[in-house]
Amino acid sequence: MRYVHVGTGHLDFSEFYRESKDACLFAVLVNVGDRDVAQDLVDEAFARAWASWRSVSRHPAPAAWVVRAALNASISRWRKRRREVPLPEPGKVAGLAAGQEAAGSPLDPQIMAALTRLLARQRQVVTMRLLLDLDTSRTAEVLGISPSAVKTHLARAIATLRSGLIPERQQEKSS
Amino acid sequence: MNDDEVITAVREPRDKVHSHTSVDEIISRGHTVRARRRIPGAVTALAVVAAAGTALALGLAGVLGAAPARSTGTIRTMAFTLVKHANGTATLTINRNVLFEPGTLQRDLAGDGIRAMVTVGRFCSSDPAPAGWTKVMSFPGSPADPGPVRSVVINPATMPAGTELSFGNFRTANTSQTSVALINTRSYTCTSTAPTAPPPDGVMIG
């Protein structure tokens, strides 16, 4: 299992970056769908983390701080551009996040499509619990919700993911 | 498919995703972040100096009777680029792959002195059209066979009184087209049917 720093001790930024950069990139990629956009968001978030390392290093889960900073920046960019809607290009798969192409992406389009069906809070919980490997209490702390709410969101998210994945996986097996 | 299998399926692609940005690049970018945080204070100070300078310049211009200088500039959005030239004309280029917000384009055109009505899913035209549209808009190609083109140059100084430009944007399957015509502000009709050819007294951008 991938290790991501969640401790509160004095953490060296370089060490933190080396150990968490791939997990953070993956978590953001799952949420925004586009590799280049995700890379830029994560790099900027890590840069901001470095600029405020004294406080970020004391965060209960610095990797979660980076991911949330990246996703908040993504929302800000979207708000700035929401009045201008990019038209879908031929070859894009319906239901995928903007910019997520079926081919040439490290992510399975079926999984991406299933993830995009989740409610925002469910996707946040999946990001923290499954992609960053935070435990329930840490996830609750980071998202500002109760541990029971984390469990509920995660259970519903897994049920939604299962319903999205089963038919397509069964089709794959039968073909 | 049990819970563990779902979780495994979601986590599976993690090992395929790697960030290739070095820590040195991040730290370098972090320095930029820190510098950006210091900018607001510097900007405030500069703004005070600039305002004082502008007031002084305006005062001198009033005394000396200097003609106001035409401002130039570029407005670049995802959907369009509007470049204002020193001679008062403006070049409008529309990205056909991005839907634009009509109010934004209309406001930016007005900022360059171009009276316009911008609509989406609707195109308005006058019959007969006001004379002189070829002086208002210029573009590559012949006015007799004008389009579709990528950009037009608009000269607001040649727009007759009581006229404005009508921009009608229509989205098709994978792209969009914008018809442009000079219209009488008090006499025009609109259609929600997308033109299939450039208007007889105008141009199509797309």
Side-chain angles (χ1 to χ4, degrees):
Chain A
M1 181 175 288
R2 187 185 300 265
Y3 174 70
V4 178
H5 260 297
V6 293
T8 55
H10 293 288
L11 195 59
D12 175 68
F13 178 81
S14 298
E15 184 187 353
F16 161 71
Y17 178 71
R18 192 174 59 251
E19 291 176 349
S20 58
K21 63 187 173 74
D22 293 344
C24 290
L25 175 60
F26 178 66
V28 174
L29 177 57
V30 162
N31 282 272
V32 303
D34 183 276
R35 169 66 195 248
D36 293 336
V37 171
Q39 183 75 65
D40 186 53
L41 288 168
V42 169
D43 288 353
E44 178 70 13
F46 270 114
R48 289 180 55 201
W50 178 85
S52 306
W53 188 236
R54 191 175 293 176
S55 61
V56 174
S57 64
R58 297 193 191 102
H59 189 275
W65 186 97
V66 168
V67 170
R68 291 209 79 181
L71 296 180
N72 286 342
S74 173
I75 292 167
S76 298
R77 290 184 189 183
W78 175 81
R79 281 178 177 152
K80 284 179 185 170
R81 296 172 182 167
R82 64 181 164 179
R83 292 179 185 277
E84 297 169 354
V85 185
L87 300 177
E89 294 172 15
K92 295 271 173 97
V93 177
L96 294 191
Q100 170 63 29
E101 296 186 5
S105 166
L107 299 184
D108 183 339
Q110 293 171 359
I111 294 172
M112 273 303 297
L115 286 165
T116 57
R117 290 188 200 109
L118 298 179
L119 299 176
R121 183 62 93 184
Q122 290 174 354
R123 200 179 307 125
Q124 288 169 357
V125 170
V126 166
T127 300
M128 299 300 160
R129 286 283 288 113
L130 305 187
L131 308 184
L132 293 181
D133 294 330
L134 301 189
D135 60 25
T136 299
S137 60
R138 192 79 73 182
T139 300
E141 189 177 353
V142 168
L143 295 180
I145 57 180
S146 69
S148 62
V150 171
K151 290 176 184 172
T152 303
H153 286 304
L154 185 61
R156 288 176 181 165
I158 289 174
T160 305
L161 290 169
R162 182 188 295 109
S163 65
L165 292 175
I166 282 177
E168 293 168 11
R169 297 270 157 134
Q170 282 176 341
Q171 274 182 354
E172 281 179 0
K173 285 178 183 175
S174 62
S175 60
Chain B
M1 201 174 196
N2 60 36
D3 285 5
D4 287 341
E5 287 172 325
V6 173
I7 292 169
T8 301
V10 172
R11 284 175 165 164
E12 206 171 40
R14 282 201 306 191
D15 292 334
K16 299 176 188 169
V17 178
H18 301 285
S19 172
H20 300 294
T21 308
S22 71
V23 70
D24 290 338
E25 289 174 272
I26 295 296
I27 291 173
S28 171
R29 198 163 171 168
H31 283 293
T32 307
V33 171
R34 281 186 179 169
R36 267 203 314 259
R37 288 175 184 166
R38 286 195 291 266
I39 283 175
V43 166
T44 305
L46 279 174
V48 171
V49 173
T54 303
L56 181 62
L58 287 173
L60 287 175
V63 170
L64 299 175
R70 287 185 186 277
S71 63
T72 60
T74 299
I75 296 170
R76 194 184 305 277
T77 75
M78 283 174 65
F80 65 85
T81 303
L82 185 62
V83 181
K84 186 174 186 184
H85 306 291
N87 64 3
T89 65
T91 300
L92 172 66
T93 305
I94 293 179
N95 179 0
R96 63 184 178 183
N97 294 319
V98 177
L99 286 180
F100 59 73
E101 206 283 312
T104 303
L105 177 58
Q106 186 166 313
R107 188 185 63 240
D108 291 339
L109 287 167
D112 285 354
I114 299 168
R115 302 186 300 275
M117 174 174 59
V118 183
T119 54
V120 171
R122 193 162 59 100
F123 176 58
C124 303
S125 58
S126 294
D127 188 14
W133 71 274
T134 53
K135 293 178 183 172
V136 177
M137 289 183 285
S138 58
F139 38 81
S142 162
D145 183 20
V149 298
R150 283 215 62 221
S151 61
V152 293
V153 178
I154 302 166
N155 186 354
T158 59
M159 290 176 69
T163 67
E164 64 184 345
L165 285 173
S166 165
F167 290 78
N169 178 265
F170 290 87
R171 176 180 177 175
T172 58
N174 294 310
T175 185
S176 70
Q177 288 186 323
T178 304
S179 296
V180 191
L182 189 67
I183 62 171
N184 289 312
T185 53
R186 292 185 177 178
S187 172
Y188 60 83
T189 57
C190 302
T191 176
S192 58
T193 304
T196 55
D201 301 305
V203 68
M204 181 179 279
I205 306 173

